[in-house]
Amino acid sequence: MAFLEQIHQMVWGPWTMVAFLGVGLFFSLKSRLFQLRGFSYWWKATVGSLGKKGGNEEQGKGGKKGISQFQSVCTALAATVGTGNIAGVATALTAGGPGALFWMWVSALIGMITAYAETTLGIRYRYRDEDGRYMCGPYVYMERGLGMKGMGIMYGVLCLLASMGMGSMVQSNSAVGTMAYSWHIPELAGGLVLTALIWLVISGGISRIGTVAEKLMPAASGIYIVFSLVVILSCAERLPQVFGAILSGAFTPSAAAGGAAGYGISRSLRYGMARGVFSNEAGLGTLAVLHGEAKDTTPQQQGMWAMFEVFFDTVILCTLTALVILCMTGSAPERVPYEGAALASWCFEGRLGAAGEFLVSASMVVFAFATLIAWFYLGKQAAAYTAGALGFDRQKKQKFVNKIYPLFYVAAVFTGSIGRLEVVWILSDIWNGLMAFPNLTALLFLSGQVMMPEWRGRRGR
């Protein structure tokens, strides 16, 4: 265990944050801050196009295999919006102080353009396999863009491992643990029900996954947003103090965060940046995979949707959780004898009563379930690419992708729901971190092929 912890510290050392932020800053300068200066452009091209005749919700209904743009967006949100938006934010505020929220915003704004870059490259290099399905993701642009098939295989293996760890075992453990703690459902019963529901969804393929995500994510996110706003608005008189604490905590040392001058700043920056990166996954390459099945689209269109996903995940959902906690704790969450999901639950319960605790618990279970179905698709795509790249014939590839991998995945879901996962947590973090390095490297080398949309804030290409 000590050996794994040392590897974890190496993989997620300061250089990892520097790599994430460095690549994001590079693309920010290259695009002339498109994520900020072109906000109205990409907002109208994504969320603003929903509901219009011929808009994104109508696309993708032809006979070709694939899903609509909106379904791909909801599937991507299902993978990124998870328990980290609640428990992770609470942990960041407790450890890094209110200033951590400011650095979450910074990481999101930088990560938005990284998400754009990896998604546009994914769509640009995607292709249909022998079964007519799109193959898309970092492993594709590593092989076809860089000509480095070995790097693509390495990424595919890491993504496959991450799907079995962080994507399945960790999420099912969080969901069943929440049900056992809040609703007194035995872990075995909760695990069996969760596993059966996951199998029911994933057995229908990407079409069913996209359909469930399309229904589940808007509803679950909408409910969480409404109740969060109810709590925040009921504490409206505290908001000036809260925002003052966020700004002062981001740039000035705080006694709660540490003693030596500058320690408070570095702590809030470290926890805020880390939580932002872990929450929205920009830079890991997963968004490039999840957008691969979208039909009737362009690289730039899906890239802007990826930007919206990062914005929604961190700037909206994480901010709402943070404001609820800071309003209810007087901007001093470290003084409350709770942490993680328990702290968030305590804050919601303080204003909404038992309904508040139920809201947090239900949200964590729903978000974890959504993450489970999305990560199955991520792992299945990685399995398909890896099997093909390693020279499996069509029959062996189909058996591995359509039979063996799904069985292993649901087994991991059930095992995670009833077991202790300290080692799995560490291994999953290591695999996630290792996914970032080849992806960020590929983004830099292929940066010349990342084209921005034509918008009036940008001159030429």
Side-chain angles (χ1 to χ4, degrees):
M1 190 72 172
F3 176 69
L4 289 177
E5 290 176 350
Q6 289 179 351
I7 295 178
H8 182 274
Q9 292 177 5
M10 291 174 60
V11 171
W12 286 106
W15 44 82
T16 305
M17 291 296 105
V18 171
F20 273 106
L21 298 177
V23 172
L25 287 172
F26 172 79
F27 281 107
S28 295
L29 295 175
K30 175 181 169 63
S31 67
R32 299 185 183 181
L33 298 177
F34 173 63
Q35 68 270 48
L36 292 175
R37 297 176 64 212
F39 181 88
S40 62
Y41 181 92
W42 63 258
W43 185 268
K44 291 177 182 177
T46 55
V47 181
S49 68
L50 296 178
K52 295 180 180 179
K53 186 176 182 180
N56 291 328
E57 80 283 359
E58 295 296 328
Q59 298 182 15
K61 293 184 178 180
K64 296 180 181 178
K65 292 182 178 180
I67 57 177
S68 69
Q69 288 184 33
F70 186 62
Q71 286 178 328
S72 73
V73 170
C74 291
T75 305
L77 281 173
T80 56
V81 174
T83 56
N85 292 81
I86 300 175
V89 171
T91 301
L93 293 176
T94 302
L101 178 58
F102 176 87
W103 296 111
M104 281 188 221
W105 295 337
V106 173
S107 72
L109 291 174
I110 294 174
M112 285 166 66
I113 201 67
T114 306
Y116 175 92
E118 62 190 18
T119 302
T120 56
L121 287 174
I123 298 296
R124 176 170 182 164
Y125 283 102
R126 70 179 179 175
Y127 62 91
R128 290 188 182 273
D129 62 14
E130 62 270 19
D131 297 316
R133 288 291 187 187
Y134 276 123
M135 188 61 60
C136 181
Y139 29 73
V140 175
Y141 54 73
M142 287 171 190
E143 177 183 349
R144 298 198 166 197
L146 290 178
M148 302 183 68
K149 188 175 182 179
M151 180 187 284
I153 293 174
M154 178 179 67
Y155 183 91
V157 171
L158 289 170
C159 185
L160 189 59
L161 291 172
S163 76
M164 303 295 289
M166 187 65 73
S168 59
M169 297 182 73
V170 169
Q171 298 299 325
S172 64
N173 186 267
S174 298
V176 172
T178 299
M179 290 189 285
Y181 176 80
S182 300
W183 307 328
H184 309 293
I185 297 175
E187 290 183 349
L188 179 59
L192 288 171
V193 171
L194 180 64
T195 303
L197 289 175
I198 292 297
W199 178 258
L200 183 64
V201 174
I202 66 176
S203 62
I206 182 59
S207 297
R208 188 176 296 172
I209 291 173
T211 300
V212 172
E214 181 183 27
K215 300 294 189 297
L216 193 62
M217 290 311 299
S221 300
I223 293 171
Y224 186 76
I225 289 172
V226 168
F227 280 92
S228 297
L229 288 174
V230 168
V231 175
I232 294 168
L233 293 177
S234 72
C235 306
E237 72 282 356
R238 303 178 190 176
L239 288 176
Q241 174 192 352
V242 166
F243 282 105
I246 292 170
L247 294 176
S248 63
F251 296 103
T252 58
S254 109
Y263 181 66
I265 300 176
S266 64
R267 195 171 177 87
S268 66
L269 187 152
R270 179 159 57 93
Y271 278 95
M273 288 286 191
R275 175 44 48 206
V277 169
F278 297 161
S279 176
N280 57 57
E281 297 187 8
L284 292 183
T286 53
L287 292 176
V289 182
L290 292 164
H291 281 274
E293 289 278 354
K295 297 189 297 184
D296 304 318
T297 187
T298 65
Q300 290 84 1
Q301 180 71 30
Q302 289 307 115
M304 288 187 287
W305 272 114
M307 290 174 60
F308 164 75
E309 288 149 19
V310 175
F311 178 84
F312 182 81
D313 176 272
T314 304
V315 178
I316 295 181
L317 288 185
C318 288
T319 296
L320 289 174
T321 301
L323 291 180
V324 167
I325 293 172
L326 293 175
C327 284
M328 294 301 296
T329 61
S331 302
E334 72 280 353
R335 297 178 185 174
V336 178
Y338 298 101
E339 60 183 18
L343 173 60
S345 180
W346 180 83
C347 292
F348 276 98
E349 187 178 8
R351 270 291 185 269
L352 304 176
E357 181 182 357
F358 179 85
L359 168 70
V360 173
S361 300
S363 296
M364 289 193 65
V365 171
V366 171
F367 289 157
F369 180 83
T371 303
L372 280 163
I373 62 174
W375 264 97
F376 169 78
Y377 175 72
L378 280 166
K380 187 176 181 180
Q381 286 292 91
Y385 172 81
T386 305
L390 291 175
F392 285 29
D393 61 41
R394 185 175 181 180
Q395 184 177 2
K396 289 182 179 179
K397 177 182 174 181
Q398 289 182 336
K399 182 178 180 181
F400 177 62
V401 174
N402 298 324
K403 295 182 179 180
I404 297 177
Y405 173 72
L407 288 175
F408 271 95
Y409 191 84
V410 294
V413 170
F414 180 71
T415 302
S417 67
I418 59 174
R420 296 175 61 90
L421 299 180
E422 288 86 352
V423 174
V424 176
W425 266 103
I426 294 178
L427 285 173
S428 298
D429 267 348
I430 292 173
W431 294 328
N432 271 4
L434 291 176
M435 285 169 62
F437 288 104
N439 184 57
L440 294 174
T441 301
L443 292 181
L444 287 177
F445 279 99
L446 294 172
S447 60
Q449 300 181 36
V450 177
M451 306 306 297
M452 306 303 297
E454 293 296 332
W455 59 291
R456 63 184 181 180
R458 180 173 173 81
R459 297 176 183 175
R461 295 172 66 181

